Amino acid sequence: MLVHLQGSWSPALGRLCMKQLAFLHVPILEYTFAVVALLGLAAVGAVTYFGKWKYLWREWLTTVDHKRIGIMYIIIGLVMLLRGFADAVMIRLQQDMAIGPHSPGYMGAVHGYLTPFHIGQIFSAHGMIMIVFAATPLLVGLMNIIVPIQIGARDMAYPYLNALGLWLTGGGAALVMLSLFIGNFAHGGWYGFLPYFELPYSPGVGVDYWMWAFQLSAIGTSLGSINLIATIVKMRAPGMTWMRLPIFTWASLSTNLIALTSFPVLMVALALVGMDRYLGTHFYTAGMGGNLMLYNDLFWIWGHPEVYFLILPAFGIMSEIIPTFSEKTLFGYATMVIASFAIGGVSWGVWLHHFFTMAAAPSVNSFYSITTMLVGIPTGVKIFNWIFTMYRGRVRFELPMMWALLALSLLIVGGMTGMMNAFASNDYMWHNGIFVVAHFHMMVLVIASSIFGAVEYWFPKLFGFKLEQKWGKWFFWFMVLGTGFVFVPMFILGLAGMTRRLDYIPYTAWGPYLHLEMVGIGLYGAALLFFLAHLYVSLRDRESRRVGADAWGTGRSVEWMTHSPVPSYNFALIPHINARDEWAWRKDNGLTELHPGDYEPIHMPKNTGVPLVLGAFFFTLAFGLTWRIWWLTALSTAAIVIMIIVRSFDTDTDMTIPPNEVERTEKRRSDRASDFIATGVPPYAGGPVGTATAYQRLPEPAGGTGASSGGRL
């Protein structure tokens, strides 16, 4: 029996009616909707004008190529990052305007320009977007792109499942964006306050938007984790033993083990929320036999491992960039691997530090204080290994290295303040304060800096040309300045007693620090403009910035062996791996010339539109549930079930690239790379890297079985 809700409801539209169209009633949203609508129309018009709909459908929307799926993950992440940044600007502007009892109010607010109801939604959306729909898709996208190439594979283990995970994530992001204009979003924090998200306290649709968007993202990420784990375990090239895996691949394996075991816990926690709201159960209702702490435990059992799900790939990125631009092998490879899994293991024993003040026994708080501090040991191992990698190396301060060093610096600050938070006695003083906010933003900025470094580092591998340096450095330095102006005052205010989620600032003495934060926000805004200029100039001048296979000249791992940009099949012949830093080993031994021998047919998965359509039906299912539109819910469920069953009978899912087509592609790309060298592209260390994909047929190893396609390099 479904819970009966007060208010209007119709069989056709459920709870949806004209008054729920927020963009018709809220001035800020009117302008926002107009801008979004114009941008959308401009995008549709441009695609139509240039006749790109067939190309878009054939090459992108229906693709199962892990590289293109990764790029689309990154696009989703960047769009949501921009939305999350806009929310952050609105929060800081409200606090800067609402200082003291004499601060004026605008647009119905007593102080500032946002009412408590609206700023509650913004706080909730900002946190959820930045963690779930910005950082997570960006990192999942990078793992999708790089891991198969690093292990010498042609694609992911389950390409269809990979595409489905993408479109489920996209559906969740679309649901969050839609809540901006139709209805409202949750206003109980990104992780949900109990009992605030229960139906009697939040009868609107905001909690439902939050819950179903979370669920879609969780399902998509879980599917992706299965795929990446299977790819790393089963699809490594011959000779790619466990202790020859690149560190980024190790970090990806560790982080996806966390995802596979933690996201189902989140799904259960949210399913119980849904049962309370839709079926009238009381899993979390203290007065009806439920348990308030049950939700907190379930959520943070997912929520704190999620922190390491995000930070471990960032550590992997730093472990790839720093050796490349130090021109040295990574110091302490084995300890780096152990540290990654130690962090992943300890992450399961720290969740209770999120509620040190719940009056647990001293022994309980002591245990979780110790486990929280233990995370610092493997993290410290990584920091020292990166420093020793740079020691006596030929360090080049190019943009990827600059971002990696910024991430390292922020990690030290974030780690030290994290150790301060690990003490329960300290937490009693600044629990729910913005000192904690500043700390975890340091860690989020470690992730962001690593992502920007990864984009600079691997961009030429994907697109065949480098990003330019001048505007990129302006972007970098304004990000550094913005970080200082925003978060140093925030640390100070946290120690002064300022708490989180304030829409009104009672103490005028805090005003100067809040003004400094706005200066930092302005610097971040300028950095965004420099980032856009960075991309524009790079695209405009791309022909003069073309590169060969090893874009930086000092690449070390397998991805630098294949063409830039990478062909759809990644490798014409599967390479045989002889050393941990395979590409560096080949350069040292003069094995970079192209001698591919005979090409053989390459089996690849066919493109399919089923994941996109399934993602669309999952979106309409979530939308129907949010608004209690039961016919849409039933229709979407039936369509999902039917499509899954029909797809299970489809046996025509693969295609074969004939040898002559592979040979033509390889020759065309090799000739183009030779032209780049001949026309003045800077030479690369370690031999004629730019002239070819740098394969070398090597002696058959003892017990070798060759690649699945029959070819080996």
Side-chain angles (χ1 to χ4, degrees), residues 347-693:
S347 72
W348 285 97
V350 300
W351 85 88
L352 196 131
H353 71 211
H354 287 274
F355 24 92
F356 270 147
T357 59
M358 72 174 186
S363 58
V364 174
N365 283 351
S366 298
F367 174 82
Y368 286 97
S369 288
I370 292 169
T371 55
T372 302
M373 286 184 280
L374 282 176
V375 178
I377 297 175
T379 305
V381 168
K382 287 182 174 289
I383 291 171
F384 282 111
N385 282 353
W386 290 323
I387 292 171
F388 284 129
T389 300
M390 291 183 282
Y391 176 66
R392 300 187 72 177
R394 292 185 290 272
V395 179
R396 292 163 26 219
F397 292 101
E398 298 195 46
L399 266 173
M401 187 64 165
M402 292 167 67
W403 284 111
L405 292 176
L406 176 61
L408 177 57
S409 304
L410 293 172
L411 176 61
I412 293 170
V413 176
M416 292 174 63
T417 52
M419 291 298 101
M420 294 168 68
N421 289 319
F423 290 92
S425 54
N426 287 351
D427 214 53
Y428 272 92
M429 292 185 287
W430 52 58
H431 181 77
N432 211 36
I434 63 165
F435 184 89
V436 179
V437 176
H439 153 68
F440 70 67
H441 275 82
M442 287 294 102
M443 303 308 293
V444 170
L445 283 164
V446 171
I447 298 163
S449 299
S450 299
I451 290 170
F452 288 128
V455 170
E456 298 284 347
Y457 182 58
W458 280 307
F459 188 94
K461 176 51 58 181
L462 277 180
F463 297 101
F465 63 94
K466 283 186 180 181
L467 294 170
E468 63 83 42
Q469 295 277 301
K470 185 185 76 171
W471 291 106
K473 288 183 178 179
W474 279 107
F475 169 51
F476 171 84
W477 286 114
F478 270 73
M479 284 290 292
V480 172
L481 291 171
T483 298
F485 273 94
V486 170
F487 294 106
V488 171
M490 193 178 290
F491 276 120
I492 295 170
L493 287 170
L495 293 175
M498 183 174 170
T499 54
R500 303 164 71 173
R501 292 176 288 272
L502 293 180
D503 68 301
Y504 166 69
I505 309 300
Y507 304 113
T508 55
W510 291 351
Y513 298 103
L514 294 167
H515 299 331
L516 285 175
E517 288 186 20
M518 283 307 299
V519 172
I521 291 292
L523 292 169
Y524 274 149
L528 174 61
L529 296 177
F530 289 129
F531 176 68
L532 295 175
H534 180 46
L535 292 180
Y536 169 74
V537 173
S538 299
L539 290 170
R540 185 193 65 190
D541 301 337
R542 59 187 178 276
E543 290 304 322
S544 64
R545 307 190 62 79
R546 293 286 177 184
V547 295
D550 187 354
W552 304 103
T554 50
R556 308 191 65 81
S557 48
V558 177
E559 73 266 29
W560 302 110
M561 291 170 54
T562 188
H563 294 290
S564 300
V566 184
S568 61
Y569 46 78
N570 292 350
F571 298 92
L573 295 174
I574 299 296
H576 183 274
I577 307 304
N578 304 274
R580 183 176 295 158
D581 291 335
E582 175 68 12
W583 179 233
W585 179 84
R586 293 194 180 207
K587 288 188 288 186
D588 290 342
N589 288 277
L591 300 174
T592 58
E593 294 289 346
L594 177 62
H595 298 291
D598 297 327
Y599 293 103
E600 296 187 1
I602 296 177
H603 299 284
M604 297 295 292
K606 276 185 177 179
N607 286 2
T608 172
V610 174
L612 172 60
V613 178
L614 273 176
F617 279 125
F618 271 103
F619 168 79
T620 57
L621 172 62
F623 184 79
L625 287 167
T626 297
W627 289 99
R628 269 81 166 172
I629 306 173
W630 301 124
W631 67 266
L632 181 60
T633 301
L635 183 63
S636 300
T637 303
I640 290 168
V641 172
I642 291 170
M643 287 197 70
I644 291 174
I645 293 173
V646 170
R647 166 69 187 182
S648 69
F649 288 97
D650 186 5
T651 57
D652 185 21
T653 59
D654 298 320
M655 64 177 182
T656 300
I657 304 175
N660 59 340
E661 185 176 334
V662 176
E663 186 172 7
R664 281 198 304 270
T665 302
E666 290 293 301
K667 186 177 187 305
R668 182 171 62 250
R669 296 193 179 220
S670 297
D671 290 345
R672 190 176 185 186
S674 299
D675 290 342
F676 296 150
I677 297 299
T679 54
V681 174
Y684 300 104
V689 179
T691 61
T693 51

Side-chain angles (χ1 to χ4, degrees), residues 15 20 83 115-128 179 183-211 277 500-503:
R15 304 179 72 187
Q20 297 288 353
R83 162 72 194 279
T115 64
F117 178 76
H118 286 112
I119 200 169
Q121 293 180 62
I122 294 170
F123 269 114
S124 303
H126 171 71
M128 182 186 190
S179 70
N184 53 68
F185 198 66
H187 44 275
W190 80 276
Y191 51 85
F193 283 125
L194 250 172
Y196 201 56
F197 61 57
E198 294 268 316
L199 202 56
Y201 306 101
S202 298
V205 297
V207 172
D208 301 305
Y209 268 127
W210 165 82
M211 177 178 64
R277 290 181 63 84
R500 303 164 71 173
R501 292 176 288 272
L502 293 180
D503 68 301

Side-chain angles (χ1 to χ4, degrees), residues 23-43:
F23 65 92
L24 296 178
H25 313 295
V26 181
I28 294 177
L29 293 182
E30 291 176 1
Y31 298 115
T32 305
F33 180 78
V35 171
V36 171
L38 288 173
L39 290 174
L41 289 172

Side-chain angles (χ1 to χ4, degrees), residues 109-405:
V110 177
H111 302 279
Y113 72 106
L114 294 172
T115 64
F117 178 76
H118 286 112
I119 200 169
Q121 293 180 62
I122 294 170
F123 269 114
S124 303
H126 171 71
M128 182 186 190
I129 286 170
M130 287 304 208
I131 297 295
V132 179
F133 291 110
T136 298
L138 286 167
L139 291 169
V140 170
L142 287 169
M143 288 187 284
N144 259 278
I145 294 166
I146 300 303
V147 167
I149 313 175
Q150 279 199 332
I151 64 173
R154 289 210 167 103
D155 209 311
M156 301 283 277
Y158 309 111
Y160 166 79
L161 202 65
N162 198 25
L164 181 58
L166 165 72
W167 294 116
L168 286 171
T169 301
L175 208 62
V176 174
M177 298 296 273
L178 192 64
S179 70
L180 188 63
F181 304 117
I182 303 177
N184 53 68
F185 198 66
H187 44 275
W190 80 276
Y191 51 85
F193 283 125
L194 250 172
Y196 201 56
F197 61 57
E198 294 268 316
L199 202 56
Y201 306 101
S202 298
V205 297
V207 172
D208 301 305
Y209 268 127
W210 165 82
M211 177 178 64
W212 294 118
F214 240 140
Q215 282 284 27
L216 290 181
S217 171
I219 296 169
T221 306
S222 297
L223 294 178
S225 67
I226 294 169
N227 208 350
L228 276 159
I229 292 169
T231 300
I232 295 169
V233 172
K234 300 297 292 182
M235 299 188 68
R236 303 190 308 278
M240 179 69 79
T241 61
W242 285 109
M243 294 310 287
R244 288 178 179 172
L245 281 180
I247 288 293
F248 181 73
T249 300
W250 272 119
S252 300
L253 179 61
S254 178
T255 202
N256 282 285
L257 288 171
I258 291 173
L260 183 60
T261 48
S262 66
F263 274 91
V265 179
L266 173 66
M267 288 188 272
V268 169
L270 295 172
L272 298 183
V273 174
M275 293 174 73
D276 279 6
R277 290 181 63 84
Y278 287 80
L279 301 179
T281 58
H282 297 285
F283 289 102
Y284 302 133
T285 310
M288 302 293 289
N291 190 332
L292 291 172
M293 283 307 300
L294 175 61
Y295 174 77
N296 288 321
D297 279 318
L298 288 175
F299 185 90
W300 287 112
I301 284 174
W302 163 79
H304 209 85
E306 162 72 2
V307 173
Y308 301 104
F309 170 85
L310 298 175
I311 202 70
L312 282 170
F315 290 168
I317 291 166
M318 295 162 69
S319 297
E320 298 293 334
I321 292 174
I322 290 174
T324 296
F325 293 97
S326 299
E327 301 186 23
K328 281 179 60 181
T329 189
L330 179 69
F331 183 89
Y333 172 90
T335 57
M336 284 297 230
V337 174
I338 295 168
S340 294
F341 282 86
I343 291 170
V346 175
S347 72
W348 285 97
V350 300
W351 85 88
L352 196 131
H353 71 211
H354 287 274
F355 24 92
F356 270 147
T357 59
M358 72 174 186
S363 58
V364 174
N365 283 351
S366 298
F367 174 82
Y368 286 97
S369 288
I370 292 169
T371 55
T372 302
M373 286 184 280
L374 282 176
V375 178
I377 297 175
T379 305
V381 168
K382 287 182 174 289
I383 291 171
F384 282 111
N385 282 353
W386 290 323
I387 292 171
F388 284 129
T389 300
M390 291 183 282
Y391 176 66
R392 300 187 72 177
R394 292 185 290 272
V395 179
R396 292 163 26 219
F397 292 101
E398 298 195 46
L399 266 173
M401 187 64 165
M402 292 167 67
W403 284 111
L405 292 176

